[in-house]
Amino acid sequence: MSHSIPMTKESYESLQEELKRLIREERPRVIQDIAEARGHGDLSENAEYDAAKNRQAFIEGRIQELQGKLARAYVVDLSNMKPDKVVFGATVTLYDTATEEEVTYKIVGEEEADIKLGKISCTSPVGKALIGHKLDDSVKVKVPSGLREYEIIDIKYL
């Protein structure tokens, strides 16, 4: 687990904000909830106490997870690059030759991939196939549903 995690600047900042919120707001709140639940008496049959302790365990686990990710994060800076080829962090608009539809994806790390938000992992079949290709290239990708062919019609570094 010591390998670096490629990450966009936006994702890095989002994880930092979540970590701050957990440490500054959620952790003190759950400690207070546990103290209040203790005041209600017998801990062996105290559902509020159990719920607060479970929440505390979740928060502490998430804090550790975020700290680990942030410590291993490698933020990819695209500010000095020319958008002439697909790289990690690029936003790529593709023309699907089979469906004749356009689709736009941002190439991100596994940790931040979310197809509903148009973010695909650089290790996904489509992400891997696109990396290194240039504008107007035709890219064939083997996906679970078969072979797809895309034409790269736009590349942006947002």
Side-chain angles (χ1 to χ4, degrees), residues 11-107:
S11 181
Y12 185 82
E13 290 171 353
S14 174
L15 292 180
Q16 282 184 315
E17 287 302 314
E18 182 182 356
L19 181 60
K20 284 181 197 173
R21 183 182 54 78
L22 289 172
I23 290 172
R24 294 178 182 169
E25 298 171 22
E26 298 297 324
R27 183 187 270 168
R29 185 178 304 132
V30 78
I31 289 170
Q32 183 179 351
D33 291 347
I34 289 170
E36 285 179 21
R38 278 192 175 140
H40 295 146
D42 185 10
L43 297 181
S44 64
E45 295 182 14
N46 188 331
E48 289 176 14
Y49 177 78
D50 290 341
K53 289 297 281 183
N54 287 338
R55 178 89 177 120
Q56 181 183 38
F58 173 80
I59 289 169
E60 293 304 323
R62 183 67 178 152
I63 287 171
Q64 287 180 359
E65 178 184 4
L66 291 173
Q67 287 172 332
K69 285 180 184 179
L70 290 169
R72 293 180 288 133
Y74 169 70
V75 179
V76 178
D77 181 15
L78 301 174
S79 61
N80 296 327
M81 295 183 69
K82 294 186 300 183
D84 62 346
K85 68 178 179 177
V86 179
V87 296
F88 181 90
T91 301
V92 185
T93 302
L94 307 169
Y95 175 76
D96 186 328
T97 58
T99 64
E100 298 183 353
E101 293 178 353
E102 289 183 13
V103 62
T104 301
Y105 295 122
K106 183 168 186 169
I107 311 295

Side-chain angles (χ1 to χ4, degrees), residues 130-141:
L130 293 173
I131 298 288
H133 283 278
K134 297 183 178 201
L135 193 62
D136 298 325
D137 279 359
S138 181
V139 181
K140 292 182 181 175
V141 183

